[in-house]
Amino acid sequence: MSSSTISLFRLPNTAIKYVLRSSDSREFVIFSTLTDRAKCLAKSIKWKSEWILFNPQFGCILTIYWNDYVYFGDKGPNEMCTLVIKTPRKNETQFTKPEFGVREWLEHFLFIFNHPEVHVQLQNDWVYTLESVQTLLEGLTIDRLEVFDSFEVLRHYPLINYLSLGNNDNGPGLFSPEDLKITRKALLGNIPRVWVNRSIGFNLDTLLMMNCPEIASIGDLISDKELNTFLKLWLKGSHPNLRELSYSNRRAGFRGFKERIVFKGIKYEKKECFNTFLLGEYYISRKADGTMARLLLANTVFRIIFLSILSARAKNLVQSLNRKAVCIEFYLQRRSEITIFTPSSYTFRVVDENLYNGFEDLTTFKLEHTSIFGSLTGISLSLPGYGTREWLEHFMYIFNHSMISLHFADRSEWGYTLESVHKELKGFTIGNLNVREVNENVREVLRLFPVMNALNTRMNSMEDADFMKKLFLGNIPYVDLSLTPMDLDTLLAMNCQDFRSSGVLLSDKDLNMFLKLWLKGSNPNLQSLRLRYSDWMHRDQRKIFNEGIIFKGIKYEKKPENEVRSFQPEILKPHGYLRFSGGYDILRKSDGSRATVLIDSKYSTFSMYLWP
């Protein structure tokens, strides 16, 4: 197609780029295929896709922006394939380009999205042959390779950053010696990051042969005694490239690690650990080069919970250990779930095994444990006289927790009445409240359950907005709203420390006025602000910010894009911190408060963070 026939191409490149930045994913992709000039202009925008995935089971998936996806190649390596573009709230768009097959589309997207590598995921039930996969990927750089069962492919693909090996079966004995030989040979390479599923036969011999800086594995083949052997060999100089090792022993979910065996014959320093779900924080030093290693052994919460239900004395003994949970959440849908989030990234859930329409006579639950690797272990547990309320009271007592988090699913999924929930939770303090419903259901929930710490909900009418303004006058530290019409008056009225909203109505002039008023002393409690101009219903809409209008009349310091900073206000502790680059720093002279403003037109977000 000649560029002269398209009116857009009569504009200078700067104008075309401005139009492209405000386009949605579908328009952007189609535009990039028009001409070579269009392709290069699309590349110059520097949009970054989340990943470009190839899977011979269902073809290729390109994740562009939130839930914007591009699919192609699901029928196999045809000479010409159909491109399917899916964006929320819009009909599916199908598009073909003459002589463009799977390989050509891959190369095209790698180019326009400035993506150097392909993520390859090889599972079962291929619509491709191994030979066609080799031809298709020849010359392309593979950044991440995930292999399930088909380990022979490891012979053909050099890797750069990440290898994931897994299997859908239950034990290492199901693999042939040739499969194990191939996988262990791959593990001897210099792949920076390796994740090994428990079914691969990951044992001490395999671990000792590996030369990877980062290793993660799920298994039950390495005993505490073998961990002791590994540590002794590391102290003598083995694994010089190792930076991080994470090993999740499935059996340890029930019995835990034994400190006296793991550290037998090893000189170490044990320090007090803020994380009470860990056995301890240990330090060992390799004398040869002075390298210091930090070891964390996770405790077993299964054992703690079992002990706590044996008797009143056992319950009090567990409580006296002062184990602290990050959060105890009560999740309500067709059945109830009580989830305990621990500081060591392990979660434990008590799940009612039967669908029900109330809370009476709920004595049979399933206790589930999820590790940092996502592995799930479960056991059914029946305790006479224990229902939802009794389990909540029990966990809050033994984990020294004063408040619960309450999470309501959509009303269409409810297996209970709101009145029954209110009766069941009478007397409990609600720390965090998450309501996925809209309109009258939200108002009804908020009237029955006052919130202490955090509110996450969505409301989508002006009547709701008026109701929310009354809430803002309260002292809820954290508020996250979706679909709520957010104007300047509402923003100035809120008294939150951390505020997030989508579906914002603020113009660039409104943002300028907000910053000027903040500099004069408004919103004194604010620590963190994040405004999203697109929401889950309109993710293909974008807001192009005008920094000249936003900062008109405001003195600021623009930070370089390559300057990366970490931010952790009090409200984020102990949950982590944020890392960001660039931004605009402004200073409130009255109290010396310094804030960084971040503007991102790609994701339509305006953020503001106050430095502690």
Side-chain angles (χ1 to χ4, degrees):
M1 180 182 297
S2 172
S3 61
S4 62
T5 63
I6 304 175
S7 58
L8 182 62
F9 285 120
R10 298 172 186 170
L11 298 174
N13 286 350
T14 303
I16 296 176
K17 289 180 183 180
Y18 184 85
V19 173
L20 279 179
R21 289 191 183 98
S22 61
S23 63
D24 61 29
S25 303
R26 179 185 56 176
E27 295 165 343
F28 180 83
V29 168
I30 295 175
F31 173 85
S32 71
T33 65
L34 297 178
T35 65
D36 288 340
R37 181 190 174 197
K39 179 179 175 182
C40 292
L41 282 170
K43 177 181 175 64
S44 68
I45 298 299
K46 296 183 178 179
W47 271 19
K48 292 290 185 181
S49 61
E50 298 293 329
W51 65 5
I52 297 177
L53 169 68
F54 171 73
N55 187 318
Q57 184 179 16
F58 50 73
C60 301
I61 297 178
L62 172 65
T63 306
I64 302 175
Y65 173 74
W66 285 359
N67 280 352
D68 293 6
Y69 300 104
V70 177
Y71 301 87
F72 58 97
D74 59 326
K75 301 293 191 297
N78 304 326
E79 293 184 4
M80 185 176 73
C81 67
T82 300
L83 196 72
V84 179
I85 306 174
K86 291 186 177 180
T87 57
R89 308 285 294 179
K90 286 198 173 183
N91 294 329
E92 180 179 285
T93 301
Q94 296 193 3
F95 181 74
T96 58
K97 185 173 174 62
E99 300 181 357
F100 257 53
V102 178
R103 170 75 182 210
E104 288 73 25
W105 279 119
L106 276 174
E107 291 176 338
H108 181 81
F109 288 124
L110 288 169
F111 179 81
I112 67 171
F113 287 108
N114 301 277
H115 216 87
E117 301 106 358
V118 180
H119 177 175
V120 179
Q121 191 177 72
L122 304 176
Q123 297 176 327
N124 299 320
D125 304 321
W126 294 13
V127 295
Y128 292 72
T129 64
L130 181 58
E131 293 73 20
S132 65
V133 172
Q134 289 178 248
T135 302
L136 184 67
L137 299 178
E138 185 178 0
L140 299 181
T141 302
I142 298 175
D143 170 61
R144 175 170 177 160
L145 177 62
E146 297 184 32
V147 180
F148 283 76
D149 296 327
S150 306
F151 301 119
E152 69 276 5
V153 301
L154 293 174
R155 300 181 187 273
H156 306 287
Y157 298 108
L159 305 167
I160 290 185
N161 287 328
Y162 191 106
L163 170 64
S164 173
L165 298 174
N167 180 266
N168 296 320
D169 297 317
N170 293 319
L174 299 176
F175 293 95
S176 68
E178 186 62 24
D179 282 340
L180 291 176
K181 182 178 178 181
I182 294 171
T183 56
R184 284 177 174 154
K185 186 177 180 180
L187 296 178
L188 292 176
N190 292 310
I191 306 165
R193 298 184 64 198
V194 173
W195 186 95
V196 183
N197 186 282
R198 66 188 181 92
S199 302
I200 302 301
F202 185 86
N203 55 24
L204 179 61
D205 291 338
T206 307
L207 177 59
L208 292 174
M209 290 189 297
M210 295 178 69
N211 193 34
C212 313
E214 296 183 27
I215 305 170
S217 177
I218 300 172
D220 50 18
L221 298 181
I222 299 180
S223 64
D224 291 348
K225 186 175 181 180
E226 288 174 323
L227 286 176
N228 174 264
T229 300
F230 170 77
L231 292 178
K232 287 179 177 178
L233 291 173
W234 180 84
L235 289 169
K236 292 180 179 179
S238 72
H239 295 78
N241 296 327
L242 184 64
R243 294 196 307 268
E244 181 178 343
L245 169 65
S246 300
Y247 178 68
S248 178
N249 190 321
R250 291 172 62 85
R251 293 175 184 169
F254 292 95
R255 62 166 178 79
F257 292 100
K258 295 181 180 178
E259 177 184 314
R260 61 182 177 80
I261 297 177
V262 174
F263 291 103
K264 185 178 181 180
I266 296 175
K267 185 178 180 180
Y268 64 90
E269 178 184 0
K270 184 177 181 179
K271 294 187 176 182
E272 289 295 326
C273 185
F274 76 93
N275 185 338
T276 54
F277 280 87
L278 297 174
L279 283 175
E281 185 174 341
Y282 309 85
Y283 290 85
I284 59 176
S285 178
R286 186 161 58 191
K287 293 182 179 179
D289 56 7
T291 302
M292 179 75 71
R294 176 174 177 255
L295 294 90
L296 300 173
L297 294 185
N299 208 338
T300 166
V301 181
F302 267 142
R303 186 169 58 182
I304 291 172
I305 291 175
F306 288 150
L307 176 62
S308 72
I309 64 176
L310 294 180
S311 66
R313 181 188 175 197
K315 178 180 176 181
N316 291 329
L317 283 172
V318 170
Q319 194 268 347
S320 69
L321 294 174
N322 200 30
R323 308 288 182 189
K324 295 287 187 181
V326 171
C327 174
I328 296 179
E329 179 183 84
F330 186 38
Y331 184 72
L332 290 156
Q333 45 182 357
R334 292 192 183 279
R335 60 184 184 183
S336 66
E337 297 178 2
I338 303 171
T339 304
I340 305 165
F341 296 91
T342 76
S344 51
S345 299
Y346 286 75
T347 60
F348 293 82
R349 295 193 305 161
V350 176
V351 183
D352 174 41
E353 292 190 300
N354 302 307
L355 296 180
Y356 62 93
N357 293 312
F359 297 102
E360 294 76 18
D361 302 322
L362 304 179
T363 57
T364 302
F365 286 83
K366 185 176 183 181
L367 183 62
E368 297 180 343
H369 157 264
T370 306
S371 76
I372 55 177
F373 301 100
S375 61
L376 183 67
T377 304
I379 185 170
S380 294
L381 181 66
S382 178
L383 193 61
Y386 263 53
T388 302
R389 186 177 182 87
E390 288 72 25
W391 276 115
L392 277 172
E393 290 174 339
H394 183 84
F395 288 131
M396 292 179 71
Y397 179 77
I398 66 173
F399 293 122
N400 299 277
H401 217 72
S402 59
M403 294 182 286
I404 64 170
S405 293
L406 183 57
H407 191 144
F408 287 89
D410 289 327
R411 174 152 257 177
S412 60
E413 300 176 14
W414 288 11
Y416 46 85
T417 65
L418 196 56
E419 291 72 21
S420 66
V421 178
H422 183 246
K423 180 181 178 181
E424 192 73 12
L425 298 182
K426 187 177 181 180
F428 286 100
T429 302
I430 309 299
N432 305 333
L433 178 63
N434 191 317
V435 188
R436 287 166 53 185
E437 276 288 352
V438 296
N439 298 335
E440 68 280 357
N441 294 334
V442 174
R443 295 196 298 274
E444 190 179 359
V445 169
L446 289 173
R447 288 191 181 99
L448 289 175
F449 300 99
V451 186
M452 297 295 295
N453 289 335
L455 171 64
N456 190 320
T457 187
R458 56 179 183 251
M459 308 184 80
N460 62 356
S461 71
M462 290 310 298
E463 180 185 353
D464 296 327
D466 292 338
F467 177 77
M468 297 306 293
K469 285 179 182 179
K470 297 178 182 178
L471 287 176
F472 291 151
L473 297 176
N475 293 310
I476 304 174
Y478 173 91
V479 174
D480 190 339
L481 303 179
S482 297
L483 302 180
T484 304
M486 181 57 54
D487 56 21
L488 180 60
D489 291 338
T490 307
L491 182 59
L492 291 171
M494 65 93 176
N495 196 31
C496 314
Q497 296 176 38
D498 190 337
F499 180 70
R500 305 181 185 193
S501 180
S502 60
V504 179
L505 302 178
L506 300 174
S507 66
D508 291 342
K509 287 185 178 181
D510 290 332
L511 294 175
N512 174 264
M513 180 60 68
F514 170 76
L515 292 178
K516 286 179 177 178
L517 291 172
W518 178 83
L519 288 169
K520 291 181 179 180
S522 73
N523 302 91
N525 293 329
L526 183 66
Q527 294 183 17
S528 173
L529 172 69
R530 182 177 172 86
L531 305 177
R532 300 183 299 272
Y533 280 76
S534 55
D535 53 52
W536 65 277
M537 294 179 67
H538 308 93
R539 288 174 177 168
D540 53 346
Q541 296 181 0
R542 287 189 172 82
K543 159 74 173 172
I544 306 301
F545 295 97
N546 188 321
E547 288 86 346
I549 297 176
I550 294 173
F551 291 103
K552 185 178 181 180
I554 297 174
K555 187 177 179 180
Y556 63 87
E557 178 186 359
K558 187 174 182 179
K559 295 293 184 179
E561 286 299 323
N562 59 358
E563 182 178 329
V564 180
R565 294 180 285 175
S566 298
F567 171 77
Q568 187 183 44
E570 287 297 323
I571 197 168
L572 286 179
K573 295 177 181 178
H575 305 293
Y577 58 88
L578 301 174
R579 289 173 63 87
F580 54 80
S581 59
Y584 304 82
D585 282 13
I586 58 177
L587 180 67
R588 183 161 61 189
K589 293 182 179 180
S590 60
D591 59 4
S593 297
R594 181 167 62 97
T596 294
V597 177
L598 301 174
I599 297 172
D600 190 336
S601 292
K602 176 183 176 182
Y603 292 103
S604 303
T605 58
F606 174 94
S607 305
M608 180 176 170
Y609 302 111
L610 273 71
W611 294 92

